[in-house]
Amino acid sequence: MKRLLVFDVDGTLITHEGVIPEANLKAINERLAEGDAVAIASGRPFTGINIFLSQLIDGEKYACAANGAAVYDKDGNVLYTNGLKPKDFESFCKRHPEVREAGVPLYCYLANNIGYYEYDWAIDWEIKCNLIPGRDLTKEPFKENDVLLKFMIASKEPSFIDGFKLVEEDLKYRCMRTNPCYLEFVNPGTDKGIAVEFLKQKLKIDNKYVFTFGDQGNDVKMIEDFQGIAMGNAIPACKKVAKYITENCEKDGVASAIYNFVLKMK
C-alpha cells in the first residue's frame, strides 16, 4: 500500500542545530525509494521548506507552506492556496499599534517575499534562513492582487506573546502559537491538517496510511485527524491527540516512529 508521510520541520524533522539527523534521512529516503509520498508541513515559506526537501532523494515530494496556506509540488509549482488579503494585515497593524511601539516584529508572508514596515532581526532571520526576499512595504506597497499566506508577531520574549490581547476582530482568523515566541494568523479555513487532507485526496490514500509528525500547536489538527505521531519533545496538546508518541527530535524520533509504528501499520 502507498503511504503519505508528513513532517513538521523545527522540533520534529530537524534538531535544534538545524540539521536532519542521518537516521531520519535514511528512514525517509527508504520510504521514498519504496514509492511512498513525503510532504514537509511547516510555518516556513516554500523556499525554507525546500532547504530540507531537497536533501531527500528524488521521489514524490510536496511542501505545505505557511501552516497549510499553500501546497506545492517538489518543483515549487502551486497546487493549492487559501490565503488572506493585504487589508487583513493592514487593519491588524492599525488595531495593534502596541506591537510596533514595543519594537516587536510584525510582518507577513506573501507568495514570493516577506512584507514588513520595519527591518529588524526577524526579517533578517527570515531572509537568511528561509532564503526568501524581503519587501519593504513603505517603498513597495501592497498591490491589489497580492495574496498573503499569513501574518505574524515574532517576539524574543515569550512574555510578550503571553500578554498579547486579541480583540474581537482578530477572531475571524485562525490564530496559532507556533512556538513560545511566535503568534501567527491565517485564513480561518487554513491549517496544516486541511493541507494534508488536500494531498490525501489528490493521492487517493486512505486515512489509515497518512502519518503526520509534529510537536507544536500548529501540528495538533494534522496529528489528530490522521495517524498522528507526537515527538517526545511535543507540547501536551499534541501528545493528547497522537496515535503514537516517539522519541525526542534530538534522538532520531522520526526514524524511530517510522520503524516502530509506520511500518507496522498493515
Side-chain angles (χ1 to χ4, degrees):
M1 83 296 293
K2 182 173 182 173
R3 305 175 183 86
L4 170 62
L5 282 69
V6 184
F7 305 95
D8 169 51
V9 175
D10 301 280
T12 300
L13 182 64
I14 67 173
T15 66
H16 291 99
E17 285 71 41
V19 299
I20 306 176
E22 285 299 321
N24 290 353
L25 272 174
K26 179 177 181 291
I28 297 170
N29 283 338
E30 288 172 354
R31 293 299 88 227
L32 283 167
E34 290 294 325
D36 287 341
V38 167
I40 294 180
S42 172
R44 296 178 184 235
F46 174 77
T47 51
I49 291 174
N50 196 45
I51 293 169
F52 305 104
L53 204 63
S54 62
Q55 294 178 40
L56 304 175
I57 65 170
D58 196 22
E60 193 163 9
K61 301 185 292 187
Y62 301 92
C64 303
N67 292 314
V71 178
Y72 304 82
D73 67 16
K74 64 182 179 181
D75 298 315
N77 298 306
V78 178
L79 305 177
Y80 164 95
T81 57
N82 190 24
L84 300 165
K85 297 183 182 301
K87 66 180 181 181
D88 292 304
F89 181 61
E90 292 172 329
S91 61
F92 184 88
C93 291
K94 290 177 181 177
R95 285 197 302 277
H96 293 286
E98 73 277 12
V99 179
R100 295 170 71 184
E101 289 168 0
V104 173
L106 174 59
Y107 57 97
C108 62
Y109 276 36
L110 292 100
N112 300 304
N113 50 49
I114 298 291
Y116 61 90
Y117 291 111
E118 287 98 16
Y119 192 95
D120 48 41
W121 64 267
I123 304 304
D124 191 63
W125 185 91
E126 293 279 2
I127 291 171
K128 291 178 179 177
C129 293
N130 282 322
L131 306 180
I132 187 168
R135 176 173 165 183
D136 185 341
L137 295 171
T138 66
K139 298 176 180 177
E140 189 181 351
F142 288 121
K143 298 175 182 177
E144 187 175 345
N145 62 346
D146 278 332
V147 175
L148 274 65
L149 299 182
K150 70 174 183 178
F151 58 85
M152 61 187 290
I153 300 169
S155 174
K156 289 183 177 179
E157 299 296 332
S159 58
F160 184 87
I161 305 298
D162 292 339
F164 182 77
K165 303 296 184 185
L166 296 171
V167 299
E168 184 175 356
E169 187 69 11
D170 300 330
L171 302 180
K172 69 180 183 180
Y173 308 109
R174 184 186 295 274
C175 174
M176 294 175 284
R177 191 164 186 176
T178 56
N179 79 27
C181 296
Y182 286 169
L183 191 63
E184 307 192 16
F185 299 83
V186 296
N187 185 294
T190 286
D191 189 272
K192 288 185 182 183
I194 295 171
V196 174
E197 178 67 22
F198 167 81
L199 278 178
K200 182 201 85 171
Q201 293 189 23
K202 172 182 171 60
L203 299 174
K204 297 180 172 57
I205 297 176
D206 189 271
N207 263 36
K208 183 178 179 180
Y209 301 113
V210 178
F211 299 88
T212 50
F213 298 66
D215 72 307
Q216 287 294 329
N218 56 336
D219 301 316
V220 171
K221 180 172 174 57
M222 74 170 185
I223 289 174
E224 182 174 21
D225 288 355
F226 304 98
Q227 297 291 349
I229 298 159
M231 305 303 292
N233 49 279
I235 62 172
C238 288
K239 292 181 177 179
K240 182 178 179 181
V241 299
K243 311 300 188 298
Y244 185 81
I245 299 174
T246 189
E247 298 289 338
N248 190 291
C249 69
E250 305 290 332
K251 296 182 178 180
D252 303 333
V254 163
S256 176
I258 289 174
Y259 295 129
N260 295 303
F261 179 63
V262 173
L263 295 182
K264 292 185 178 180
M265 184 68 68
K266 304 298 184 182

